[in-house]
Amino acid sequence: MHSLMVRIPSFRFEDSAMEKGYTVFKIDVLTSGRQHSVEKRYSEFHSLHKKLKKFIKAPEMPSKHVRNWVPKVLEHRRLGLEIYLQTIIMENEVLPKIFLEFLNIRHFPSLPKTESCGKLSHQPVLLFLRDPYVLPAADDTFPNVVIEGVVHGMFYPHIQPW
């Protein structure tokens, strides 16, 4: 499961003297406790969809051809685009870089997929502040029972503790 949530709470109509009017969808993005918003046109969603299909099995997109001025139809498209984004997040263990860029996410923590990297990776489980095999310093009046217990449990589990 990803620490990424998206929703599309609203849309607005943008009128421009340079081109025909269009609808802009506001996307709220919440990742790692931080929230930001991006605004995208349907054409940008469509472009993302065409790119994503090269990398993943992308879900269906809402219809491209609608009358932009009908609020009920726009609300249906808004909901469809929200479900589209959420489905991509839920169905993909590793999110494609182009998807993260679309949402303006620069740093997204993810664990490598074992199948994709070809070899297993690991992360340290124990960390010793000093080498447990070195004799304790002269100023240590008591032995470090935690380190001794961990070393004993890891390397001599078949021998009963003293």
Side-chain angles (χ1 to χ4, degrees):
M1 192 66 154
H2 297 287
S3 62
L4 172 63
M5 292 175 48
V6 295
R7 61 186 206 99
I8 302 177
S10 61
F11 57 87
R12 63 182 169 78
F13 189 73
E14 189 72 30
D15 205 5
S16 171
M18 303 294 282
E19 60 181 316
K20 190 171 82 170
Y22 55 88
T23 305
V24 177
F25 296 90
K26 179 185 177 196
I27 307 167
D28 287 342
V29 181
L30 177 64
T31 180
S32 302
R34 295 182 180 185
Q35 181 176 348
H36 69 274
S37 296
V38 292
E39 292 189 333
K40 300 288 183 179
R41 296 174 60 170
Y42 180 86
S43 60
E44 294 173 282
F45 278 93
H46 187 71
S47 176
L48 171 71
H49 182 70
K50 288 187 345 188
K51 293 174 187 173
L52 281 176
K53 287 195 309 187
K54 296 175 184 175
F55 300 102
I56 64 170
K57 184 179 182 290
E60 290 295 315
M61 283 270 297
S63 175
K64 183 175 182 173
H65 303 290
V66 297
R67 294 187 198 143
N68 283 343
W69 60 87
V70 180
K72 188 175 182 179
V73 174
L74 285 175
E75 174 58 27
H76 189 263
R77 179 180 266 188
R78 179 205 65 78
L79 181 60
L81 291 173
E82 182 175 87
I83 292 169
Y84 174 79
L85 295 176
Q86 292 171 349
T87 302
I88 291 171
I89 293 167
M90 290 181 63
E91 290 184 354
N92 293 281
E93 191 174 329
V94 177
L95 297 172
K97 185 177 178 185
I98 54 172
F99 181 75
L100 298 174
E101 289 172 351
F102 178 82
L103 297 173
N104 287 352
I105 298 174
R106 293 189 197 111
H107 305 290
F108 186 71
S110 64
L111 295 173
K113 206 174 181 181
T114 306
E115 299 85 32
S116 65
C117 65
K119 62 179 179 180
L120 295 176
S121 63
H122 72 280
Q123 295 193 5
V125 176
L126 292 174
L127 173 67
F128 292 106
L129 298 178
R130 59 188 174 108
D131 190 341
Y133 295 107
V134 176
L135 292 174
D139 59 345
D140 284 349
T141 56
F142 297 105
N144 189 331
V145 294
V146 173
I147 291 179
E148 288 178 8
V150 169
V151 170
H152 180 83
M154 288 178 63
F155 298 106
Y156 309 105
H158 54 286
I159 301 175
Q160 288 295 323
W162 43 103

